[in-house]
Amino acid sequence: MIATNKQFAPSPASEPKVHVLRLEVIGGAMDAQEMSLQLPVRIGRGAGANLQLSHPLVADEHCDILVRGEEILVRDLGSENGTFVNRDRIDLAQLAPGQLLTIGDVTFRAVVD
């Protein structure tokens, strides 16, 4: 059998999946009521944070929201006042749709797109 170029043509490159997390503000002082974040994202008070929360309980680099496989994870970055998922202080935890994320005085509800 003679091979043709079609048989050996590379398959189209699959686009990397873009993970977007929507956070609805359900408590605390924040101007926006909902935001969409392309993951990974760093949250904190400092200039290096992708999402800045200016509150004294928020560290300059407070936490990361990242993707591992199909999971969305929240990782505290050693903040003094902690990061909370469903009112539990975490070091690393999965964030599923509908769960609550509290950073400083702001509480968000996770909505995964």
Side-chain angles (χ1 to χ4, degrees), residues 3 11 14 17 22 29 32-33 62 68 71 77 85 89 91 109:
S11 59
S14 59
K17 184 175 180 180
R22 281 190 299 129
Q33 294 304 307
H62 197 94
R68 182 177 66 194
E71 296 179 318
L77 298 174
V85 173
R89 187 172 182 155
D91 291 320
R109 177 177 291 117

Side-chain angles (χ1 to χ4, degrees), residues 1 4-5 10 12 26 37 65 68 81 97 104:
M1 181 168 126
T4 66
N5 285 341
I26 62 168
L37 304 172
I65 303 177
R68 182 177 66 194
N81 296 300

Side-chain angles (χ1 to χ4, degrees), residues 25-30 53 55 101-108:
V25 178
I26 62 168
M30 189 160 184
L53 300 176
H55 188 273
L101 171 65
T102 303
I103 302 163
D105 74 333
V106 179
T107 299
F108 303 94

Side-chain angles (χ1 to χ4, degrees), residues 23 30 35 37 41-45 49-53 108:
L23 294 176
M30 189 160 184
M35 62 196 66
L37 304 172
V41 66
R42 176 155 291 173
I43 300 173
R45 193 174 58 207
N50 305 101
L51 173 58
Q52 293 181 342
L53 300 176
F108 303 94

